[in-house]
Amino acid sequence: MSQRRASCTCGQLRVECKGDPIRISMCHCFACQQRTGSVYGVQARFRRQDITAIEGRSTKFLRKGDESGNVTTFHFCPECGSTVYYESPNDPDLVAITVGTLMDPSFPAPSISVWEERSHAWAVPRGIPLEHMN
């Protein structure tokens, strides 16, 4: 069973987990674009039981979903600002970890893409079979 470690840029906020994610997705919504400073966000959802440690301080930001109205709690480092993970009361048994914080170029590609109608035309991944969930 693989052990993974996510970390903010300065290393102060860390999440450790075991096993494989149950879902890896990319989101093109405007909120993810603003949160990441990129053209989409990529996250891996792990079962909460597979999170073995959360260490360091985090600042929380609560965001209400565009259409669903669901509230998501984002945890980011108060020192460097990196979003490391987030949680939703609609999926209390899951923790989403931002894939970039895992620093693993061999990490699997996303299999789901959402909010593609808000995607930049040039930001469509090539060669990745994706399930589209708009």
Side-chain angles (χ1 to χ4, degrees), residues 42-120:
V42 182
Q43 49 281 327
R45 294 181 185 177
F46 289 85
R47 290 176 189 85
R48 186 171 296 280
Q49 67 193 35
D50 292 337
I51 303 298
T52 57
I54 296 176
E55 301 169 337
R57 294 175 291 108
S58 73
T59 298
K60 297 177 184 178
F61 177 74
L62 279 62
R63 186 182 82 205
K64 192 173 186 179
D66 285 354
E67 291 184 6
S68 68
N70 297 334
V71 176
T72 301
T73 303
F74 293 88
H75 295 265
F76 62 96
C77 175
E79 300 298 321
C80 67
S82 300
T83 300
V84 178
Y85 69 101
Y86 58 90
E87 304 165 293
S88 172
N90 293 344
D91 293 317
D93 296 330
L94 300 178
V95 174
I97 297 177
T98 55
V99 170
T101 64
L102 292 162
M103 298 174 293
D104 179 0
S106 66
F107 195 80
S111 59
I112 296 171
S113 180
V114 298
W115 286 101
E116 290 177 333
E117 66 272 14
R118 294 185 178 176
S119 174
H120 293 247

